[in-house]
Amino acid sequence: MTTLLSARDVRVLADGLGLRPTKQRGQNFVIDPNTVRMIVGAAQLDGPQTVVEIGPGLGSLTLGLLDAGHRVVAVEIDELLASRLPETVHRFASDVFEAAGRSDGSDDPVGSETAETTEASETTENPASGSAGPFALVQADAMRVTELPDHLGEPTALVANLPYNVAVPVLLHFLATFPTIRQVLVMVQAEVADRLAAPPGSRTYGVPSVKAQWYGTVERAADVGKNVFWPAPNVGSGLVRITRRDTPRTGDRDAVFAVVDAAFAQRRKTLRSALSGWAGSAAAAEAALTRAGIDHRARGETLTVDDFAAIAEAAV
């Protein structure tokens, strides 16, 4: 049976690496196995899937996903953490790799090899004697990742404890780059979770809210306290679940996002004024809004993602 990392395990692994978590990379490691199980359950994944995990760190969530029967592609920017993760995964989830080895007729289920290294990323596969098994590691900046190892199948889910300082850009990058990702469950700073899941008209509704909702339904899944992390962050965390739309939205995403950016750059102004730079003039903005059926006296915080799409289309 896969063993999830305890608080002691996390500290022993960190000490073995001489690791001192840095705020620059938002390194706060989950030290509570029950929280890991809760996160995996909150993802609501039906059956074994290929899951992308961004920022696996010391492997707490990685092991939880493997224990639930999923295949995991982990993307880690930190060279030190990436160097140890394959060993940790094999040590604590040996049963998963032994099962993979038996299914492939292998007598050596816990081998490892390093795959081709590119300028953008380094991919480490951990095969069961030639078979990659259920785990692959991509050492890279997540914002630069445009392809993933294909031996585990196309990614269908993203489950991650995202570094607080890059959470929204990384989330939006992966949603845009990998359309096969249908289900998302991310742990982010509580304030960021509120913004992502905010409905139109609320105080926290803004650019992250609209852009996330372009891709699908966004909802708050749970709150996570500070004491399940090492080191403990200064603020609480929240889980956000995104279920991608069955039918992609029509229209030019970049054009719609340009309208969103302009509308919220001056969120206290009316749309006629806020969109004047985007449209070329206040009169042109009002004309586009009228064609889209939007009151030019409204503010961006009251519009739905479909409203923004209508404005972008009306400008063409």
Side-chain angles (χ1 to χ4, degrees), residues 123-147:
T123 303
T124 303
E125 299 175 0
N126 296 276
S129 193
S131 168
F135 174 77
L137 172 64
V138 178
Q139 185 191 329
D141 180 346
M143 288 297 294
R144 297 181 61 197
V145 172
T146 57
E147 59 182 8

Side-chain angles (χ1 to χ4, degrees), residues 121-173:
S121 66
E122 178 179 328
T123 303
T124 303
E125 299 175 0
N126 296 276
S129 193
S131 168
F135 174 77
L137 172 64
V138 178
Q139 185 191 329
D141 180 346
M143 288 297 294
R144 297 181 61 197
V145 172
T146 57
E147 59 182 8
L148 294 167
D150 58 8
H151 63 271
L152 297 181
E154 292 184 322
T156 53
L158 188 159
V159 181
N161 172 20
L162 291 179
Y164 291 166
N165 53 342
V166 295
V168 172
V170 166
L171 172 62
L172 294 176
H173 171 69

Side-chain angles (χ1 to χ4, degrees), residues 229-282:
F229 296 95
W230 175 76
N234 294 326
V235 296
S237 301
L239 299 182
V240 175
R241 184 166 48 240
I242 301 175
T243 303
R244 195 186 283 265
R245 292 165 54 94
D246 290 334
T247 304
R249 293 186 184 276
T250 58
D252 185 320
R253 181 187 64 225
D254 291 341
V256 176
F257 283 10
V259 179
V260 174
D261 290 336
F264 285 101
Q266 303 177 78
R267 65 180 297 149
R268 292 190 176 184
K269 292 189 175 183
T270 65
L271 287 169
R272 184 181 189 276
S273 177
L275 297 181
S276 60
W278 163 80
S281 69

Side-chain angles (χ1 to χ4, degrees), residues 210 214 249-252 255-257 259-260 271 275 278 285 287-295 303-316:
V210 182
W214 168 268
R249 293 186 184 276
T250 58
D252 185 320
V256 176
F257 283 10
V259 179
V260 174
L271 287 169
L275 297 181
W278 163 80
L289 289 162
T290 299
R291 289 193 295 272
I294 306 295
D295 186 344
L303 302 190
T304 67
V305 65
D306 291 321
D307 292 332
F308 284 108
I311 297 169
E313 184 177 357
V316 177

